Amino acid sequence: MVKKEQKNYETIFILDAVLEDEKLEALLNKYTAFLTKNDCTIVKVDKWGRKKFAYPIKKKNSGHYVSIEFTGDPGIIAKLERVYYLDESILRFLTVSFDKKTLTERNAYFERKQIDMANRERESAAAAEAQEQALQRIEAPVEEKTQETEQQEDKQV
């Protein structure tokens, strides 16, 4: 049997906000197991957290967003979306395919974003350290003057 070419996909779904953390993890494990059972490779799983909707979806105002990035056979998408459709906990879902160019640009964007965040953290840590040193330089003469005035007051008494 000839194996089809694996494509890159990202599926994003919104789960009901009233779900407990254990149920949320169980559903996440269910869908990752479904994908791996159908010869897909999970690249990354992101839980974006609970977010408020811009408009109500199925009479709900918020939901848990989850993103799963995977590679797999194109035939799996119909099966996956059918399972999503039958699950009452899923309010909305979307699955997109990435071509190679888009995937490389996307990965480059996220790498730049991580580097920028690391640089900002280093800069803020350096700024905080510089501010602390400046405060110490200011406080040191004030403490010396306070000690001198205390000594003068002791002499006067």
Side-chain angles (χ1 to χ4, degrees), residues 101-157:
K101 180 181 176 188
T102 305
L103 191 64
T104 56
E105 288 175 358
R106 183 176 186 265
N107 290 338
Y109 167 77
F110 283 119
E111 286 176 15
R112 282 193 312 269
K113 190 174 179 181
Q114 280 184 330
I115 291 169
D116 288 346
M117 287 180 66
N119 287 341
R120 278 192 213 122
E121 287 177 7
R122 273 190 244 118
E123 289 172 0
S124 65
E129 186 177 323
Q131 186 177 17
E132 182 67 31
Q133 289 175 355
L135 283 173
Q136 287 175 356
R137 278 186 257 135
I138 292 171
E139 290 174 354
V142 171
E143 288 179 6
E144 289 175 8
K145 288 180 182 178
T146 307
Q147 290 175 354
E148 288 175 10
T149 51
E150 286 176 1
Q151 289 174 356
Q152 289 176 359
E153 289 175 358
D154 288 341
K155 290 179 182 178
Q156 291 175 358
V157 177

Coordinates of all heavy atoms in Angstrom, one line a residue, residues 101-157:
K101 N 5.8 26.8 2.4 CA 6.3 28.2 2.5 C 5.6 28.9 3.7 O 6.3 29.5 4.5 CB 5.9 29.0 1.3 CG 6.3 30.4 1.3 CD 5.9 31.1 0.0 CE 6.2 32.6 0.1 NZ 5.7 33.4 -1.0
T102 N 4.3 28.7 3.9 CA 3.6 29.3 5.0 C 4.1 28.7 6.4 O 4.3 29.5 7.3 CB 2.1 29.0 4.9 OG1 1.6 29.4 3.7 CG2 1.3 29.7 6.0
L103 N 4.4 27.4 6.4 CA 4.9 26.8 7.6 C 6.3 27.4 8.0 O 6.6 27.7 9.2 CB 5.0 25.3 7.4 CG 5.3 24.5 8.7 CD1 4.1 24.7 9.7 CD2 5.5 23.0 8.3
T104 N 7.2 27.6 7.0 CA 8.5 28.1 7.3 C 8.4 29.6 7.8 O 9.1 30.0 8.7 CB 9.5 28.0 6.1 OG1 8.9 28.7 5.0 CG2 9.8 26.6 5.8
E105 N 7.5 30.4 7.1 CA 7.3 31.8 7.5 C 6.7 31.8 8.9 O 7.1 32.7 9.8 CB 6.4 32.5 6.6 CG 7.1 32.8 5.2 CD 6.1 33.4 4.2 OE1 4.9 33.5 4.6 OE2 6.5 33.6 3.1
R106 N 5.8 30.9 9.2 CA 5.2 30.9 10.6 C 6.2 30.5 11.6 O 6.2 31.2 12.7 CB 4.0 29.9 10.5 CG 3.2 29.8 11.8 CD 2.1 28.8 11.5 NE 1.2 28.7 12.6 CZ 1.3 27.8 13.6 NH1 2.2 26.9 13.6 NH2 0.4 27.8 14.6
N107 N 7.0 29.5 11.4 CA 8.0 29.1 12.3 C 9.0 30.2 12.6 O 9.5 30.5 13.7 CB 8.7 27.8 11.9 CG 7.8 26.6 12.0 OD1 6.8 26.7 12.8 ND2 8.1 25.6 11.3
A108 N 9.4 30.9 11.5 CA 10.4 32.0 11.6 C 9.8 33.2 12.4 O 10.4 33.8 13.3 CB 10.8 32.5 10.2
Y109 N 8.5 33.4 12.2 CA 7.8 34.5 13.0 C 7.8 34.1 14.5 O 8.1 35.0 15.3 CB 6.4 34.6 12.5 CG 5.5 35.4 13.5 CD1 5.6 36.8 13.5 CD2 4.6 34.8 14.3 CE1 4.8 37.6 14.4 CE2 3.8 35.6 15.2 CZ 4.0 36.9 15.2 OH 3.2 37.7 16.1
F110 N 7.5 32.9 14.8 CA 7.5 32.5 16.3 C 8.9 32.5 16.9 O 9.0 32.8 18.0 CB 6.8 31.2 16.5 CG 5.3 31.3 16.4 CD1 4.6 30.6 15.4 CD2 4.6 32.1 17.3 CE1 3.2 30.7 15.3 CE2 3.2 32.2 17.2 CZ 2.5 31.5 16.2
E111 N 9.9 32.1 16.1 CA 11.2 32.2 16.6 C 11.6 33.6 16.9 O 12.2 33.9 17.9 CB 12.2 31.6 15.6 CG 12.1 30.1 15.5 CD 13.0 29.5 14.4 OE1 13.9 30.2 13.9 OE2 12.8 28.3 14.1
R112 N 11.3 34.6 16.0 CA 11.6 36.0 16.2 C 10.9 36.5 17.4 O 11.4 37.3 18.2 CB 11.2 36.8 15.0 CG 12.2 36.8 13.8 CD 11.9 37.8 12.8 NE 10.5 38.0 12.4 CZ 9.9 37.3 11.4 NH1 10.7 36.5 10.6 NH2 8.7 37.5 11.1
K113 N 9.6 36.1 17.6 CA 8.8 36.5 18.7 C 9.5 36.0 20.0 O 9.5 36.8 21.0 CB 7.4 35.9 18.6 CG 6.4 36.5 19.6 CD 5.1 36.0 19.2 CE 4.1 36.6 20.3 NZ 2.7 36.1 20.0
Q114 N 9.9 34.8 20.1 CA 10.6 34.3 21.3 C 11.9 35.0 21.6 O 12.2 35.4 22.7 CB 10.9 32.8 21.1 CG 9.7 31.9 21.4 CD 10.1 30.4 21.3 OE1 11.1 30.1 20.6 NE2 9.4 29.6 22.0
I115 N 12.7 35.3 20.5 CA 13.9 36.1 20.7 C 13.6 37.5 21.2 O 14.3 38.0 22.2 CB 14.7 36.1 19.4 CG1 15.2 34.7 19.1 CG2 15.8 37.1 19.5 CD1 15.8 34.6 17.7
D116 N 12.6 38.1 20.7 CA 12.2 39.5 21.1 C 11.7 39.4 22.6 O 12.1 40.3 23.4 CB 11.1 40.0 20.3 CG 11.5 40.4 18.9 OD1 12.8 40.5 18.7 OD2 10.7 40.6 18.0
M117 N 11.0 38.4 23.0 CA 10.5 38.3 24.4 C 11.7 38.1 25.3 O 11.8 38.7 26.4 CB 9.5 37.2 24.5 CG 8.2 37.5 23.9 SD 7.0 36.2 24.1 CE 6.8 36.2 25.9
A118 N 12.7 37.3 24.9 CA 13.8 37.1 25.7 C 14.7 38.3 25.9 O 15.1 38.7 27.0 CB 14.7 36.0 25.1
N119 N 14.8 39.1 24.8 CA 15.5 40.4 24.8 C 14.8 41.4 25.7 O 15.5 42.1 26.5 CB 15.7 41.0 23.4 CG 16.7 40.2 22.6 OD1 17.5 39.5 23.1 ND2 16.6 40.3 21.3
R120 N 13.5 41.4 25.7 CA 12.7 42.3 26.5 C 12.9 42.0 28.0 O 13.0 42.8 28.8 CB 11.3 42.3 26.2 CG 10.9 43.2 25.0 CD 9.4 43.3 24.8 NE 9.1 43.4 23.4 CZ 8.3 42.7 22.8 NH1 7.7 41.7 23.4 NH2 8.1 42.8 21.5
E121 N 12.9 40.7 28.3 CA 13.1 40.2 29.7 C 14.5 40.6 30.2 O 14.6 41.1 31.3 CB 12.9 38.7 29.8 CG 11.5 38.3 29.7 CD 11.3 36.8 29.7 OE1 12.3 36.1 29.9 OE2 10.2 36.3 29.5
R122 N 15.5 40.4 29.3 CA 16.9 40.8 29.7 C 16.9 42.3 29.9 O 17.6 42.8 30.9 CB 17.9 40.4 28.6 CG 18.3 39.0 28.8 CD 19.5 38.7 27.9 NE 19.1 37.6 27.0 CZ 19.0 37.7 25.7 NH1 19.3 38.8 25.1 NH2 18.5 36.7 25.0
E123 N 16.3 43.1 29.0 CA 16.4 44.6 29.2 C 15.6 45.0 30.4 O 16.1 45.9 31.1 CB 15.7 45.2 27.9 CG 16.6 45.1 26.7 CD 15.8 45.6 25.4 OE1 14.6 46.0 25.5 OE2 16.4 45.5 24.4
S124 N 14.5 44.4 30.7 CA 13.7 44.8 31.9 C 14.5 44.4 33.2 O 14.5 45.1 34.2 CB 12.3 44.2 31.9 OG 12.4 42.8 32.0
A125 N 15.2 43.3 33.1 CA 16.0 42.9 34.3 C 17.1 43.8 34.5 O 17.5 44.2 35.6 CB 16.5 41.4 34.1
A126 N 17.8 44.2 33.4 CA 18.9 45.1 33.5 C 18.4 46.5 34.0 O 19.1 47.2 34.8 CB 19.6 45.3 32.1
A127 N 17.2 46.9 33.5 CA 16.7 48.2 33.9 C 16.3 48.2 35.4 O 16.6 49.1 36.2 CB 15.5 48.6 33.1
A128 N 15.8 47.1 35.9 CA 15.4 46.9 37.3 C 16.7 46.9 38.1 O 16.7 47.6 39.2 CB 14.6 45.7 37.5
E129 N 17.7 46.3 37.7 CA 19.0 46.3 38.4 C 19.6 47.7 38.5 O 20.1 48.1 39.5 CB 20.0 45.3 37.7 CG 21.3 45.1 38.5 CD 22.2 44.1 37.8 OE1 21.7 43.1 37.3 OE2 23.4 44.3 37.9
A130 N 19.6 48.4 37.4 CA 20.1 49.8 37.3 C 19.3 50.7 38.3 O 19.9 51.5 39.0 CB 20.1 50.3 35.9
Q131 N 18.0 50.5 38.3 CA 17.2 51.3 39.2 C 17.5 51.0 40.6 O 17.6 51.9 41.5 CB 15.7 51.0 38.9 CG 14.8 51.9 39.6 CD 13.3 51.6 39.3 OE1 13.0 50.6 38.7 NE2 12.4 52.6 39.6
E132 N 17.7 49.7 40.9 CA 18.0 49.3 42.3 C 19.4 49.9 42.7 O 19.5 50.4 43.9 CB 18.1 47.8 42.4 CG 18.4 47.2 43.8 CD 17.3 47.5 44.8 OE1 16.1 47.6 44.3 OE2 17.6 47.7 46.0
Q133 N 20.3 49.9 41.8 CA 21.6 50.5 42.2 C 21.5 52.0 42.4 O 22.1 52.6 43.3 CB 22.6 50.2 41.0 CG 23.1 48.7 41.0 CD 24.0 48.4 39.8 OE1 24.2 49.3 38.9 NE2 24.5 47.2 39.7
A134 N 20.7 52.7 41.6 CA 20.5 54.1 41.7 C 19.9 54.4 43.1 O 20.2 55.3 43.8 CB 19.7 54.6 40.6
L135 N 18.9 53.6 43.5 CA 18.2 53.8 44.7 C 19.2 53.6 45.9 O 19.2 54.3 46.9 CB 17.1 52.8 44.9 CG 15.8 53.2 44.1 CD1 14.8 52.1 44.3 CD2 15.2 54.5 44.7
Q136 N 20.1 52.6 45.8 CA 21.1 52.4 46.8 C 22.0 53.5 46.9 O 22.4 53.9 48.0 CB 21.9 51.1 46.5 CG 21.1 49.8 46.7 CD 21.8 48.6 46.3 OE1 22.9 48.6 45.8 NE2 21.2 47.4 46.6
R137 N 22.4 54.1 45.8 CA 23.3 55.3 45.8 C 22.6 56.5 46.5 O 23.3 57.3 47.2 CB 23.8 55.7 44.4 CG 24.9 54.8 43.9 CD 25.4 55.3 42.6 NE 24.9 54.3 41.6 CZ 24.4 54.7 40.4 NH1 24.3 55.9 40.1 NH2 23.9 53.7 39.6
I138 N 21.3 56.6 46.2 CA 20.6 57.7 46.8 C 20.4 57.5 48.3 O 20.6 58.4 49.1 CB 19.2 57.9 46.1 CG1 19.5 58.4 44.7 CG2 18.3 58.9 46.9 CD1 18.2 58.4 43.9
E139 N 20.1 56.3 48.7 CA 19.8 56.0 50.1 C 21.0 56.0 51.0 O 20.9 56.3 52.2 CB 19.1 54.6 50.2 CG 17.7 54.6 49.7 CD 17.0 53.3 49.6 OE1 17.7 52.3 50.0 OE2 15.8 53.2 49.3
A140 N 22.2 55.7 50.5 CA 23.4 55.6 51.3 C 23.7 57.0 51.9 O 24.0 57.1 53.1 CB 24.6 55.1 50.4
P141 N 23.8 58.1 51.1 CA 24.1 59.4 51.8 C 23.0 59.8 52.7 O 23.3 60.4 53.8 CB 24.1 60.4 50.6 CG 24.4 59.5 49.4 CD 23.8 58.2 49.7
V142 N 21.7 59.5 52.5 CA 20.7 59.8 53.4 C 20.8 59.1 54.7 O 20.6 59.7 55.8 CB 19.3 59.5 52.7 CG1 18.2 59.6 53.7 CG2 19.0 60.3 51.5
E143 N 21.2 57.8 54.7 CA 21.5 57.1 55.9 C 22.6 57.7 56.7 O 22.6 57.8 57.9 CB 21.7 55.6 55.6 CG 20.5 54.8 55.2 CD 20.8 53.4 54.8 OE1 21.9 52.9 55.0 OE2 19.9 52.7 54.3
E144 N 23.7 58.1 56.0 CA 24.8 58.7 56.7 C 24.4 60.0 57.4 O 24.8 60.2 58.5 CB 26.0 58.9 55.7 CG 26.6 57.7 55.2 CD 27.7 58.0 54.1 OE1 28.0 59.1 53.9 OE2 28.2 57.0 53.5
K145 N 23.6 60.8 56.7 CA 23.2 62.1 57.3 C 22.3 61.8 58.5 O 22.4 62.5 59.5 CB 22.5 62.9 56.2 CG 23.4 63.5 55.2 CD 22.6 64.3 54.2 CE 23.5 64.8 53.1 NZ 22.8 65.6 52.1
T146 N 21.5 60.8 58.4 CA 20.6 60.5 59.5 C 21.4 60.1 60.7 O 21.1 60.5 61.8 CB 19.6 59.3 59.1 OG1 18.9 59.7 57.9 CG2 18.6 59.1 60.2
Q147 N 22.4 59.3 60.5 CA 23.3 58.8 61.6 C 24.0 60.0 62.2 O 24.2 60.1 63.4 CB 24.3 57.8 61.1 CG 23.6 56.4 60.8 CD 24.6 55.5 60.2 OE1 25.8 55.8 60.0 NE2 24.2 54.2 60.0
E148 N 24.5 61.0 61.4 CA 25.2 62.2 61.9 C 24.2 63.0 62.7 O 24.6 63.5 63.8 CB 25.7 63.0 60.7 CG 26.9 62.3 60.0 CD 27.3 63.1 58.8 OE1 26.8 64.3 58.6 OE2 28.2 62.6 58.0
T149 N 23.0 63.2 62.2 CA 22.0 64.0 63.0 C 21.7 63.3 64.3 O 21.5 64.0 65.3 CB 20.7 64.3 62.2 OG1 20.2 63.1 61.7 CG2 21.0 65.3 61.1
E150 N 21.6 62.0 64.3 CA 21.3 61.3 65.6 C 22.5 61.5 66.6 O 22.3 61.7 67.8 CB 21.1 59.8 65.3 CG 19.8 59.5 64.7 CD 19.7 58.0 64.3 OE1 20.6 57.2 64.6 OE2 18.6 57.6 63.8
Q151 N 23.7 61.5 66.1 CA 24.9 61.7 66.9 C 24.9 63.1 67.5 O 25.2 63.3 68.6 CB 26.1 61.4 66.2 CG 26.4 59.9 65.8 CD 27.5 59.7 65.0 OE1 28.2 60.6 64.5 NE2 27.8 58.4 64.7
Q152 N 24.5 64.1 66.7 CA 24.5 65.5 67.1 C 23.4 65.7 68.2 O 23.6 66.4 69.2 CB 24.2 66.4 65.9 CG 25.4 66.5 65.0 CD 25.1 67.4 63.8 OE1 24.0 67.9 63.6 NE2 26.1 67.5 62.9
E153 N 22.3 65.0 68.0 CA 21.2 65.1 69.0 C 21.6 64.5 70.3 O 21.3 65.0 71.4 CB 19.9 64.4 68.4 CG 19.2 65.2 67.3 CD 18.0 64.5 66.7 OE1 17.7 63.3 67.2 OE2 17.4 65.0 65.8
D154 N 22.3 63.4 70.2 CA 22.8 62.7 71.4 C 23.8 63.6 72.2 O 23.8 63.7 73.4 CB 23.5 61.4 71.1 CG 22.5 60.3 70.7 OD1 21.3 60.5 71.0 OD2 22.9 59.3 70.0
K155 N 24.6 64.3 71.4 CA 25.6 65.3 72.1 C 24.9 66.4 72.7 O 25.3 66.9 73.8 CB 26.6 65.8 71.0 CG 27.5 64.8 70.5 CD 28.5 65.4 69.5 CE 29.4 64.3 68.9 NZ 30.3 64.9 67.9
Q156 N 23.8 66.9 72.1 CA 23.0 68.0 72.7 C 22.3 67.6 74.0 O 22.1 68.4 74.9 CB 22.0 68.6 71.7 CG 22.7 69.3 70.5 CD 21.7 69.7 69.5 OE1 20.5 69.4 69.6 NE2 22.2 70.4 68.4
V157 N 21.9 66.4 74.1 CA 21.1 65.9 75.3 C 22.0 65.6 76.4 O 22.8 66.0 77.0 CB 20.3 64.6 75.0 CG1 19.6 64.2 76.2 CG2 19.4 64.9 73.8

